Amino acid sequence: KQEVTQIPAALSVPEGENLVLNCSFTDSAIYNLQWFRQDPGKGLTSLLLIQSSQREQTSGRLNASLDKSSGRSTLYIAASQPGDSATYLCAVISGNTPLVFGKGTRLSVIA
Amino acid sequence: DAGITQSPRHKVTETGTPVTLRCHQTENHRYMYWYRQDPGHGLRLIHYSYGVKDTDKGEVSDGYSVSRSKTEDFLLTLESATSSQTSVYFCATLGDSQETQYFGPGTRLLVL
């Protein structure tokens, strides 16, 4: 059974700092991995999707990497801003099974 | 956001009453999902559908049923609501390319 773990559970940083969020998964036979953002009381917004054959994806100040063999992914946020404050969720698809989510990292960027 | 709407957005009901939540999508996506989100548990899959009239159970399906009679609609029914089903319910879709999964805005359900 696939399990996804995100560390840390919560993170508080000053504005402008670069930061890394971590995601690990137990079964390396994944189809793809997605990073989502969730604002309080809102739904999930997809940030980046990495196919199993890819090593990383970039969108603006965000960069996600994938190391399938070690079962890990990182989300790098450059020059953090207060607007980046949200919960970030990692999820994987393995074969025909639907997305399995981690419990998220709650990020606070302090102005 | 793949044009996903959920109704109702908020509902308060009493233990033992039936409740139906509706998810509607406009993108003709094949796959549809129902998740619940609870503090300390994250998002957990209740049921999913891979086509009209084709559904399967997820991780936490007990006490829930689903129906999909049209591509665009996926209904989640709590046959007899219990307080443990108080949660935020999210609907999601996935297209045939099986890439990005899109989520609806959620339904907050309180069972008293």
Side-chain angles (χ1 to χ4, degrees), chain B:
Chain B
D1 63 357
I4 303 172
T5 56
Q6 292 184 230
S7 59
R9 294 292 314 280
H10 303 270
K11 186 170 182 66
V12 180
T13 191
E14 293 185 348
T15 298
T17 60
V19 177
T20 296
L21 308 183
R22 180 180 184 242
C23 177
H24 179 80
Q25 56 126 340
T26 59
E27 297 296 316
N28 204 37
H29 284 170
R30 177 182 175 187
Y31 301 92
M32 297 186 76
Y33 308 86
W34 277 109
Y35 293 88
R36 59 179 290 175
Q37 187 175 37
D38 305 286
H41 292 279
L43 277 151
R44 294 179 292 174
L45 182 67
I46 306 171
H47 280 279
Y48 62 104
S49 169
Y50 38 96
V52 173
K53 298 193 190 306
D54 287 327
T55 64
D56 207 346
K57 296 179 180 180
E59 178 187 359
V60 291
S61 60
D62 287 349
Y64 301 94
S65 63
V66 290
S67 66
R68 190 163 179 206
S69 58
K70 298 184 290 184
T71 298
E72 58 266 35
D73 290 324
F74 193 30
L75 303 181
L76 176 70
T77 297
L78 289 66
E79 304 290 348
S80 177
T82 67
S83 58
S84 65
Q85 293 175 314
T86 292
S87 186
V88 181
Y89 292 85
F90 287 100
C91 173
T93 70
L94 185 68
D96 281 342
S97 64
Q98 296 195 21
E99 295 199 346
T100 303
Q101 193 169 39
Y102 298 95
F103 280 77
T107 293
R108 290 186 175 274
L109 176 67
L110 174 61
V111 183
L112 299 174

Side-chain angles (χ1 to χ4, degrees), chain A residues 31-33 49-55 66, chain B residues 97-99:
Chain A
Y31 183 72
N32 65 44
L33 181 145
L49 180 144
I50 310 177
Q51 299 287 3
S52 62
S53 58
Q54 297 174 322
R55 297 282 294 182
L66 174 64
Chain B
S97 64
Q98 296 195 21
E99 295 199 346

